Amino acid sequence: MATWDPEFEVVIGLEIHAQLATETKIFCGCPAKAPEGKNVSEVDSNWNTCPVCAGHPGTLPKLNARVLEYATKAGLAMGCQIRENSVFSRKNYFYPDLPKGYQISQFDKPICENGTIEIDVGKDKKTVRVQRIHMEEDAGKNLHMDDFSLVNLNRACVPLIEIVSEPDMRSPEEAGAYMRAVHAIVTTIGVCDGNLQEGNFRCDANVSVMPKGSKTFGTRAEIKNVNSFRFVEKAIEYEISRQIALVKSGGKVVQETRLYDSAQNKTFSMRSKEEAHDYRYFPEPDLIPVKLDKNWIEKIRETLPELPAQKRARFVSELGLSAYDAGVVTSTGSLAKLLEDTLALTSKKGIDAKTAAKSATNLLTGEISRLSKEEEKDVSESKLTAVHLADLVHAITSSLVSSTGAKTALLAAWNGEGTIESIIEKHGLKQVSDTGALEAAIDAVIAENAGQFAEMKSGKDKLLGFFVGQTMKKTGGKANPGLLQELIKKRLS
Ligand code: ADP
Ligand code: MG
Ligand code: ZN
């Protein structure tokens, strides 16, 4: 938990940019995704452009209908009102990565308004209001070399929604929880791939401080483009201490844009309010206003899947998961789907739902989360499937593999080594549950440690662990530990 001078209160509002997972860009037919899920902007410069997204004069934008559908879906999932008449506007500014000299965005008539998102902070629940969600095009990317710069327009015109919260958060943890909740929603409803490393989910954090109990918010600084849940909390934490120190030393917070440097864990001024752009917004003359039909909106509402908050509650009540575990497995659409697909398969194998859920969740929150973080890969991008996980749960619950063996098998499946059955075979992971083989190993260990065995027999219980360990060693770590213990105990009576 972040702490600061208790004389001060903190106010935070987030603006989140989520890249929509459409096939094509927002105003032209260029792919919005690079081949094999690679980042659109990283693959050979400018392969992914056409006269429209490269901003050639005389070209006209044509709105991608899927963008409307996804933006509406996101708005409905966040409890927003959907505007039946919304308008695209030009946001004018000059920057080399913006070929037209303006960004097509929405201004006074965004597609969604007035939503709410529930967040969990520790044991408390809190509702954060969503002010608006609007549709816009992404810009390109400047690449600065030593004495010149390159412009890559692959990402230009890629569809985004910007989700703007009210200034309702009061701590870095609440901001982190809100960012995670929004991420879980957009990935669960399938409108965003949610890959933070690739920048398809990023946020600007607005932070201000004020004397405790004050009714007027302080002046805010905006930290731009944070693309990690952890860093958003750290950046805000740093910003709180900077602003409080400034105010206490008699200074004033100025409204400005800042950047967070994770290596130094500090924020730096990027531009002040005086340098801020006057965007001269006006309605985009090349696009007609968007008119949505009530029935169409209701049809989209019917396509909404179960949302993360509902799923979390159901996993706790139906599957007996802890609130924490349920939170982790519903934190992205792909994790929850993997769990649910796995349980459908384990149920066919006759494994009790709660047992299977517990076993699968252990793997999901443990080894799978670890691999996912380490390789910066979403589970859906790995080779691991629900079939693997169900087979592995079966192997674990029937004591075919030990927990260590399960980890090895999981890693192999993640890397695409084949079926669980073949992996267990190939890596020799089968636990020895064959009583005869174990008895023989126990005999050998007793013969080698006759003295200790006699001591144990005369009441030195502590030696049981020693004998289990020695026999385990003899079997190359493959003995079923439960059975082994049972067999050794039998020798004592
Ligand atoms: P702009 O259009 O300049 O970005 P907005 O008023 O739309 O400004 O607010 C942008 C974001 O800043 C919103 O998420 C809002 O919640 C947040 N915000 C506004 N005022 C404050 C404040 N005093 N402290 C912290 N956040 C704020
Ligand atoms: Mg802003
Ligand atoms: Zn194009």
Side-chain angles (χ1 to χ4, degrees):
M1 275 293 279
T3 52
W4 55 85
D5 187 327
E7 304 278 296
F8 288 87
E9 218 168 316
V10 171
V11 173
I12 303 160
L14 298 191
E15 296 161 282
I16 293 177
H17 283 99
Q19 181 180 325
L20 296 178
T22 55
E23 291 298 322
T24 55
K25 293 185 177 182
I26 182 168
F27 300 125
C28 65
C30 294
K33 295 181 191 176
E36 286 164 41
K38 287 203 180 84
N39 185 343
V40 142
S41 58
E42 303 303 345
V43 188
D44 299 340
S45 292
N46 294 315
W47 66 279
N48 191 27
T49 54
C50 73
V52 175
C53 56
H56 291 195
T59 56
L60 288 173
K62 184 165 176 265
L63 180 62
N64 178 348
R66 211 12 78 78
V67 170
L68 275 183
E69 182 190 323
Y70 282 7
T72 303
K73 208 166 175 177
L76 292 170
M78 296 177 200
C80 292
Q81 289 153 357
I82 310 298
R83 212 180 242 286
E84 285 169 45
N85 295 290
S86 85
V87 170
F88 280 99
S89 292
R90 283 191 187 178
K91 181 177 180 180
N92 299 281
Y93 66 95
F94 178 77
Y95 205 59
D97 67 5
L98 191 71
K100 294 193 290 287
Y102 56 85
Q103 178 192 28
I104 304 180
S105 181
Q106 294 194 293
F107 183 52
D108 53 342
K109 290 181 178 142
I111 185 161
C112 317
E113 289 167 306
N114 304 325
T116 51
I117 288 175
E118 225 174 61
I119 60 169
D120 287 308
V121 212
K123 283 197 184 64
D124 303 324
K125 278 203 190 311
K126 172 166 182 160
T127 302
V128 174
R129 290 168 301 158
V130 172
Q131 193 182 95
R132 56 188 272 145
I133 302 176
H134 61 256
M135 304 174 279
E136 62 185 26
E137 57 181 340
D138 206 345
K141 209 171 167 180
N142 294 332
L143 213 77
H144 302 294
M145 317 305 275
D146 282 344
D147 50 1
F148 64 98
S149 294
L150 297 167
V151 181
N152 181 348
L153 296 178
N154 283 339
R155 213 178 56 190
C157 240
V158 161
L160 304 175
I161 48 173
E162 179 171 340
I163 304 151
V164 183
S165 84
E166 292 289 351
D168 285 348
M169 287 149 279
R170 295 291 176 269
S171 69
E173 288 80 11
E174 288 186 8
Y178 170 80
M179 189 176 169
R180 286 186 177 87
V182 172
H183 183 264
I185 292 173
V186 294
T187 56
T188 297
I189 64 177
V191 302
C192 172
D193 290 339
N195 191 323
L196 288 99
Q197 282 79 30
E198 285 178 14
N200 47 76
F201 190 89
R202 50 194 199 254
C203 107
D204 303 337
N206 296 272
V207 184
S208 66
V209 298
M210 61 184 179
K212 189 144 202 111
S214 165
K215 291 261 179 331
T216 4
F217 293 166
T219 305
R220 71 190 147 104
E222 179 179 14
I223 312 164
K224 274 275 180 210
N225 264 331
V226 189
N227 68 343
S228 131
F229 301 125
R230 201 161 48 88
F231 290 159
V232 85
E233 293 188 24
K234 297 199 121 197
I236 293 171
E237 204 173 328
Y238 172 81
E239 192 53 27
I240 294 170
S241 63
R242 184 189 73 86
Q243 292 186 12
I244 291 180
L246 187 61
V247 172
K248 282 178 83 169
S249 68
K252 266 203 172 106
V253 174
V254 291
Q255 187 169 339
E256 61 178 352
T257 306
R258 300 180 69 86
L259 279 181
Y260 175 66
D261 179 343
S262 57
Q264 297 185 57
N265 188 30
K266 281 183 177 163
T267 63
F268 294 94
S269 180
M270 191 170 117
R271 61 176 123 88
S272 68
K273 177 100 200 249
E274 287 71 53
E275 302 160 60
H277 306 285
D278 168 11
Y279 294 122
R280 295 173 291 124
Y281 278 100
F282 63 86
E284 168 59 60
D286 290 343
L287 286 165
I288 53 169
V290 177
K291 287 207 191 314
L292 298 181
D293 181 65
K294 266 203 178 71
N295 292 326
W296 181 85
I297 297 172
E298 287 317 305
K299 281 224 176 74
I300 302 288
R301 195 193 300 277
E302 283 163 22
T303 68
L304 279 181
E306 184 180 33
L307 296 173
Q310 302 161 323
K311 222 184 252 301
R312 190 158 58 239
R314 183 169 62 81
F315 283 177
V316 170
S317 65
E318 277 178 17
L319 301 175
L321 297 188
S322 71
Y324 174 81
D325 284 351
V328 176
V329 294
T330 55
S331 64
T332 67
S334 47
L335 275 179
K337 182 169 185 322
L338 184 55
L339 176 62
E340 292 192 289
D341 291 350
T342 300
L343 295 184
L345 294 169
T346 52
S347 131
K348 282 193 193 133
K349 293 179 195 286
I351 307 171
D352 161 68
K354 285 189 178 173
T355 310
K358 177 98 195 82
S359 171
T361 301
N362 282 343
L363 298 169
L364 287 165
T365 60
E367 200 60 6
I368 295 174
S369 292
R370 191 187 66 75
L371 282 167
S372 187
K373 269 198 202 104
E374 196 174 282
E375 298 186 12
E376 300 189 343
K377 222 187 223 175
D378 187 78
V379 276
S380 60
E381 297 167 288
S382 79
K383 298 280 191 333
L384 184 76
T385 64
V387 174
H388 283 129
L389 207 52
D391 287 347
L392 194 52
V393 164
H394 176 72
I396 294 168
T397 52
S398 60
S399 300
L400 192 66
V401 295
S402 66
S403 55
T404 327
K407 273 190 195 166
T408 310
L410 191 71
L411 179 64
W414 177 275
N415 290 327
E417 282 187 33
T419 64
I420 290 294
E421 195 186 354
S422 68
I423 288 169
I424 291 176
E425 192 61 44
K426 181 176 150 202
H427 291 262
L429 300 174
K430 205 175 264 179
Q431 278 195 129
V432 181
S433 293
D434 166 358
T435 318
L438 289 184
E439 294 278 12
I442 293 169
D443 284 340
V445 171
I446 291 176
E448 286 161 22
N449 303 282
Q452 273 112 321
F453 185 69
E455 274 182 52
M456 179 164 70
K457 239 183 149 165
S458 63
K460 207 165 170 193
D461 294 344
K462 277 189 200 149
L463 281 167
L464 181 64
F466 169 77
F467 276 91
V468 171
Q470 289 300 310
T471 320
M472 193 58 107
K473 235 187 201 167
K474 245 201 176 38
T475 61
K478 287 178 199 157
N480 174 340
L483 181 60
L484 188 57
Q485 195 154 22
E486 202 179 298
L487 292 174
I488 296 175
K489 274 188 186 156
K490 239 188 222 164
R491 297 296 181 90
L492 299 176
S493 50

